[in-house]
Amino acid sequence: MGANEIKQTVKAKYGEAALRVLAGARSSCCGAASATGGCDPFTANLYDESQTTGVPEQAVLASLGCGNPTVLAELHAGETVLDLGSGGGIDVLLSARRVGPTGKAYGLDMTDEMLALARENQHNAGATNVEFLKGTIEAIPLPDMSVDVVISNCVINLSSDKDAVLREAFRVLKPGGRFAVSDVVVRGDVPADLGRNMELWVGCIAGALEEKEYAAKLKAAGFADVDVDAWRVYNVDDARAFLTEGGVDVDAMAPAVEGKFASAFIRARKPEALRCCGPDCCA
């Protein structure tokens, strides 16, 4: 599948998810749905009640993440936050609360239906320090060094050009700015054909990186203090129903993929700008 085909497929899937929520249904990923209509185990139990109180129900129903980057990021009052692939807006609205009226929370999404849903949720939440932008995460429509924190929730894995995403995240961060995302990673080597089956379950067409490769790409983009923490590891039984429906012999593939896919917290920092210390040094 080519890059443009991947992008159009993602837009279509997430557009359909937004329309389901606007019609009053819970959104869902491509895996087996839970009894409540969500998609376990990836999207289960990511936000506690103290966080979702006061958040529009449609923002909660539209959540398609695999973690909670708003907690991971340790946001502070007055900061500017950017959420890559903001969907229905739950992480943007939670971030806006934490940065307060002197801060700003941006959401970036390429899907018109999700943007419409997010703006409706913003209105219903009465959030005045929030702005949703249309665009792609490979070409962020914000100036250089304009945000303090970049967050994302199970979206970067969907990009066909992750290097571009990470370079753009680095560009828009201020010196000393923080990168704090939740994403799906692969732990170790997985046979390509089996990996594709698991990735289809994880997130429709999730192009999950191996965790060491993710760290290497962040460093290549210029980031420092890189940390990839796989906090929720999945086993084949989690995907048994989905894979069986697809004609996969789950027991045969289990030894090759067991414990190889995980939700991870991924942290990094943009180094501080160099300071001039003499007539011959560069700032």
Side-chain angles (χ1 to χ4, degrees), residues 29-50:
C29 74
C30 291
S34 70
T36 59
C39 180
D40 289 332
F42 282 87
T43 59
N45 304 318
L46 301 179
Y47 305 93
D48 61 38
E49 187 175 349
S50 66

Side-chain angles (χ1 to χ4, degrees), residues 68-131:
N68 187 344
T70 63
V71 172
L72 173 68
E74 299 180 0
L75 302 177
H76 306 293
E79 289 188 319
T80 299
V81 184
L82 168 64
D83 181 14
L84 301 179
S86 48
I90 185 169
D91 292 320
V92 177
L93 296 176
L94 292 176
S95 296
R97 281 183 182 177
R98 297 183 65 188
V99 300
T102 60
K104 181 73 176 277
Y106 288 103
L108 174 63
D109 207 281
M110 67 178 180
T111 308
D112 289 330
E113 295 87 349
M114 276 296 185
L115 287 168
L117 174 60
R119 288 166 179 152
E120 181 177 321
N121 289 331
Q122 175 190 356
H123 173 76
N124 291 337
T128 59
N129 60 340
V130 164
E131 184 176 350

Side-chain angles (χ1 to χ4, degrees), residues 10 12 14 30-31 84 92 102 115 123 137 147 155 175-176 181-182 190 192 219 228 253 280 282:
V10 171
Y14 281 76
C30 291
L84 301 179
V92 177
T102 60
L115 287 168
H123 173 76
I137 61 176
V147 303
V155 171
V181 311
S182 296
V190 176
K219 292 173 183 176
V228 180
M253 74 178 287
D280 298 323
C282 298

Side-chain angles (χ1 to χ4, degrees), residues 48-246:
D48 61 38
E49 187 175 349
S50 66
Q51 292 177 297
T52 57
T53 299
V55 174
E57 183 182 13
Q58 287 187 332
V60 179
L61 294 178
S63 176
L64 290 164
C66 58
N68 187 344
T70 63
V71 172
L72 173 68
E74 299 180 0
L75 302 177
H76 306 293
E79 289 188 319
T80 299
V81 184
L82 168 64
D83 181 14
L84 301 179
S86 48
I90 185 169
D91 292 320
V92 177
L93 296 176
L94 292 176
S95 296
R97 281 183 182 177
R98 297 183 65 188
V99 300
T102 60
K104 181 73 176 277
Y106 288 103
L108 174 63
D109 207 281
M110 67 178 180
T111 308
D112 289 330
E113 295 87 349
M114 276 296 185
L115 287 168
L117 174 60
R119 288 166 179 152
E120 181 177 321
N121 289 331
Q122 175 190 356
H123 173 76
N124 291 337
T128 59
N129 60 340
V130 164
E131 184 176 350
F132 288 100
L133 308 170
K134 184 175 181 179
T136 69
I137 61 176
E138 296 87 1
I140 299 170
L142 286 174
D144 296 356
M145 298 184 288
S146 56
V147 303
D148 298 290
V149 186
V150 169
I151 65 172
S152 187
N153 201 345
C154 209
V155 171
I156 295 175
N157 65 302
L158 297 173
S159 173
S160 61
D161 191 351
K162 297 173 181 63
D163 291 313
V165 176
L166 300 180
R167 287 194 300 268
E168 280 290 276
F170 187 88
R171 178 185 65 80
V172 300
L173 279 170
K174 299 174 185 177
R178 305 179 315 277
F179 178 89
V181 311
S182 296
D183 219 340
V184 175
V185 298
V186 181
R187 311 181 77 203
D189 295 327
V190 176
D193 56 337
L194 300 183
R196 281 192 291 272
N197 282 318
M198 288 295 286
E199 287 179 357
L200 285 168
W201 170 67
V202 168
C204 302
I205 52 168
L209 291 174
E210 198 278 329
E211 54 188 338
K212 292 181 181 177
E213 184 182 8
Y214 209 133
K217 286 182 178 293
L218 281 164
K219 292 173 183 176
F223 285 98
D225 300 333
V226 175
D227 179 59
V228 180
D229 177 17
W231 67 280
R232 182 183 280 183
V233 180
Y234 306 101
N235 59 51
V236 170
D237 280 337
D238 291 326
R240 182 172 291 275
F242 173 77
L243 295 171
T244 300
E245 288 175 7

